[in-house]
Amino acid sequence: MSNSQTEQLPAHQVEAASKAFEQEFERFARFTSDLNALSSLALDEALAEERALSELRVRHSGKKSALAAAKKLIGRVAPEERPAFGQLIRDFEEKLVSRLDAVELNLKNHIEQVRTARESIDVTLPGRRPPYGHRHPITIIRERIEDIFVALGYVIEDGREIETDFYNFTALNIPDNHPARGEADTFYTTDGFALRSQTSTVQIHAMQRRGVPIRMIAPGRVFRRDTPDPTHNPMFYQVEGLCVDRGITMAHLKGTVTEFLRRMFGPETVTRFRPSYFPFTEPSAEFDFSCFKCKGAGCRICKNSGWIELGGSGMVHPDVLRMVGVDPQVYSGFAFGLGIDRMCALMYELDDIRLLFENDVRFLEQFE
Ligand code: 2NL
């Protein structure tokens, strides 16, 4: 064979295939030589490189590759040149496969690492705290009132919010023609029941059920047909107290209300009783206490008077006692009532009572 024929020989084709491979492989080579090149690959970039590498493998070692074509030529090479040619192909194939395998291994390891890192959880990070719940400001004040009266030997009674005329008015000695019974003051259901306008209803039920002597308070929601403004809401919270026993006098009323207000607003608190009128008590009195903020000197809260008006009270009217089957010749009692939301507004210095019923968590969460 002449030299010019040798140029066309299969050995030359293998060399050309090897060169073509080297050229295409060049950009993958960095994944075995340069560690930074790999670690800077994002997951989707690494996956794209993996696919490109697999295509390269098919092109250079697959059925239609130059390598496969060269292998077919082995039989047609002259016997004396066959071993050398065979060796050439094996060397080329081995180099090709080992270089592809090395890159593929590095890529796969990197992909695995990135995936693991992405899915891993740092157990040393602080957890997410669930937001704490808290009591409504009215609940905070109600529970303080309840605690004080429970300590004084009172029980807490609860009742219904929809009542008959008897419990809401008649049993409380409120005359038939009294404006409180009218549609303008009280909410009525279509079948004639009243939304209770004070929690005295609960006291009437309790006296009927438990009899006397009795010491109780009745906190709860009441309803009056008022136009909402900064100091009024048609639904508000009230607590009423009742003490009936033999020999109960106005002195017990004053002592109890005073002790309650001292425990609520501080031991230096002074109380003041002013004569008043309620159909269900006789005599009746409204009570004030010395301002907890300025101690009586005068400030914004007490409107410079030094006193804060809080509620009404009195000796239970004998007719009310008779109405629930209690003999007023044997028993006497005192009762009082005050607004919880009003107390709340005072203590937290709210200038609008309606804030308590808007249920804006940004407002409500400030109190506990
Ligand atoms: C006020 C006035 C008051 C009563 C409530 C009462 C209850 C019974 C018998 C007699 Cl069962 N009286 N409750 C007495 C006087 C005043 O509340 O200004 N409340 C906010």
Side-chain angles (χ1 to χ4, degrees), residues 250 253-254 272-278 281-288 309 311-314:
M250 198 102 186
L253 164 63
K254 293 179 78 174
R272 178 170 87 169
F273 289 78
R274 287 174 288 109
S276 187
Y277 173 80
F278 302 109
T281 46
E282 185 58 38
S284 302
E286 283 170 71
F287 54 90
D288 311 334
E309 297 177 9
S313 65

Side-chain angles (χ1 to χ4, degrees), residues 161 187 195-201 218-224 233-240 341:
E161 291 176 355
F187 291 106
L195 299 196
R196 69 182 182 194
S197 46
Q198 62 280 320
T199 60
S200 326
T201 52
R221 269 204 299 200
V222 297
F223 306 84
R224 287 184 199 174
N233 202 56
M235 183 276 291
F236 60 101
Y237 285 76
Q238 200 201 19
V239 59
E240 282 209 3
D341 8 36

Side-chain angles (χ1 to χ4, degrees), residues 184-196:
D185 284 7
T186 300
F187 291 106
Y188 287 94
T189 65
T190 44
D191 41 5
F193 293 102
L195 299 196
R196 69 182 182 194

Side-chain angles (χ1 to χ4, degrees), residues 35-343:
L35 280 177
N36 287 334
L38 250 187
S39 59
S40 65
L41 278 191
L43 184 59
D44 49 349
E45 291 170 331
L47 289 168
E49 294 292 22
E50 195 189 30
R51 273 194 304 278
L53 186 74
S54 143
E55 281 161 17
L56 183 74
R57 188 191 288 276
V58 170
R59 246 187 339 273
H60 290 276
S61 70
K63 278 185 198 145
K64 293 178 186 165
S65 64
L67 177 65
K71 277 180 180 172
K72 283 182 193 147
L73 290 178
I74 294 180
R76 290 167 50 191
V77 169
E80 66 275 21
E81 287 178 11
R82 204 173 287 156
F85 182 65
Q87 190 60 43
L88 191 67
I89 288 179
R90 271 192 301 281
D91 287 350
F92 170 47
E93 184 166 29
E94 202 181 273
K95 189 176 70 175
L96 181 140
V97 169
S98 70
R99 301 197 73 185
L100 286 169
D101 284 353
V103 170
E104 190 184 77
L105 183 73
N106 282 355
L107 273 173
K108 280 193 171 2
N109 281 341
H110 175 66
I111 288 165
E112 176 69 17
Q113 256 175 41
V114 174
R115 285 206 166 119
T116 308
R118 176 192 277 195
E119 284 158 24
S120 70
I121 297 167
D122 183 351
V123 295
T124 65
L125 282 174
R128 256 173 247 141
R129 263 177 220 290
Y132 279 108
H134 47 81
R135 292 177 297 169
H136 190 285
I138 289 179
T139 307
I140 297 173
I141 301 300
R142 175 176 55 80
E143 289 182 351
R144 281 191 59 195
I145 297 170
E146 288 175 357
D147 286 349
I148 292 170
F149 278 103
V150 166
L152 295 178
Y154 283 64
V155 295
I156 299 162
E157 282 277 345
D158 201 357
R160 62 201 73 174
E161 291 176 355
I162 296 175
E163 277 291 358
T164 59
D165 266 9
F166 176 78
Y167 288 99
N168 204 50
F169 300 117
T170 311
L172 292 166
N173 205 31
I174 295 172
D176 281 347
N177 60 356
H178 195 282
R181 287 184 182 251
E183 303 248 347
D185 284 7
T186 300
F187 291 106
Y188 287 94
T189 65
T190 44
D191 41 5
F193 293 102
L195 299 196
R196 69 182 182 194
S197 46
Q198 62 280 320
T199 60
S200 326
T201 52
V202 179
Q203 324 243 43
I204 301 296
H205 282 290
M207 280 193 283
Q208 286 180 330
R209 194 172 63 250
R210 307 170 80 117
V212 289
I214 193 171
R215 276 189 286 275
M216 64 168 289
I217 60 165
R221 269 204 299 200
V222 297
F223 306 84
R224 287 184 199 174
R225 223 164 155 167
D226 290 325
T227 303
D229 69 28
T231 58
H232 295 86
N233 202 56
M235 183 276 291
F236 60 101
Y237 285 76
Q238 200 201 19
V239 59
E240 282 209 3
L242 175 72
C243 168
V244 179
D245 206 336
R246 292 166 192 260
I248 296 295
T249 69
M250 198 102 186
H252 297 110
L253 164 63
K254 293 179 78 174
T256 303
V257 170
T258 302
E259 183 57 20
F260 161 65
L261 291 171
R262 280 185 185 151
R263 292 191 188 195
M264 199 76 196
F265 293 103
E268 65 289 348
T269 308
V270 183
T271 44
R272 178 170 87 169
F273 289 78
R274 287 174 288 109
S276 187
Y277 173 80
F278 302 109
F280 30 87
T281 46
E282 185 58 38
S284 302
E286 283 170 71
F287 54 90
D288 311 334
F289 67 104
S290 54
C291 182
F292 59 95
K293 191 81 177 198
C294 65
K295 312 287 173 207
C299 70
R300 197 179 77 98
I301 293 180
C302 57
K303 297 187 192 84
N304 276 322
S305 74
W307 295 95
I308 297 173
E309 297 177 9
L310 193 62
S313 65
M315 300 307 291
V316 181
H317 197 291
D319 286 347
V320 173
L321 291 177
R322 263 191 287 272
M323 215 99 63
V324 290
V326 174
D327 184 353
Q329 304 281 30
V330 182
Y331 289 98
S332 58
F334 66 78
F336 57 88
L338 55 93
I340 301 179
D341 8 36
R342 188 174 136 66
M343 199 170 229

